[in-house]
Amino acid sequence: MFYVNDDNSIYVTRGDILFFSVAAEDNGEAFHFPAGSIARMKIYGKKDAETVVMQKEFPVENTTEIVDIFLTGEDTKIGEVINKP
């Protein structure tokens, strides 16, 4: 399961695959991610927003307005397993 909350926080079920695309603007104009650059995504702890629990880099091969973000099931297996009814 994957959803974006009203505060733009992203939730995904542990072990699930996650794929989405990211675009940005610069002064109202579409930003072009340059070839050879790296888009970096960090995931912070829910209770401690200062703690980075995962970081992954996505190389930009060709100049583009959109960067694809792909997390494998192994990538999303962060944190402790909690059994809840």
Side-chain angles (χ1 to χ4, degrees), residues 50-62:
E50 300 296 319
T51 302
V52 177
V53 295
M54 187 188 97
Q55 176 176 301
K56 189 166 181 179
E57 296 181 345
F58 302 89
V60 178
E61 295 179 10
N62 301 307

Side-chain angles (χ1 to χ4, degrees), residues 5-81:
N5 215 0
D6 290 339
D7 64 358
N8 291 325
S9 54
I10 299 171
Y11 289 84
V12 62
T13 301
R14 188 177 195 278
D16 280 0
I17 294 171
L18 176 64
F19 176 82
F20 60 96
S21 299
V22 175
E25 289 186 357
D26 184 17
N27 293 323
E29 298 290 323
F31 178 78
H32 292 84
F33 297 90
S37 64
I38 294 177
R40 183 175 297 123
M41 184 182 79
K42 293 181 181 180
I43 297 175
Y44 294 90
K46 182 176 181 179
K47 294 181 181 177
D48 178 11
E50 300 296 319
T51 302
V52 177
V53 295
M54 187 188 97
Q55 176 176 301
K56 189 166 181 179
E57 296 181 345
F58 302 89
V60 178
E61 295 179 10
N62 301 307
T63 300
T64 182
E65 293 180 10
I66 297 173
V67 175
D68 293 328
I69 305 296
F70 180 78
L71 299 178
T72 67
E74 283 302 311
D75 290 334
T76 63
K77 287 183 182 177
I78 53 178
E80 296 179 29
V81 177

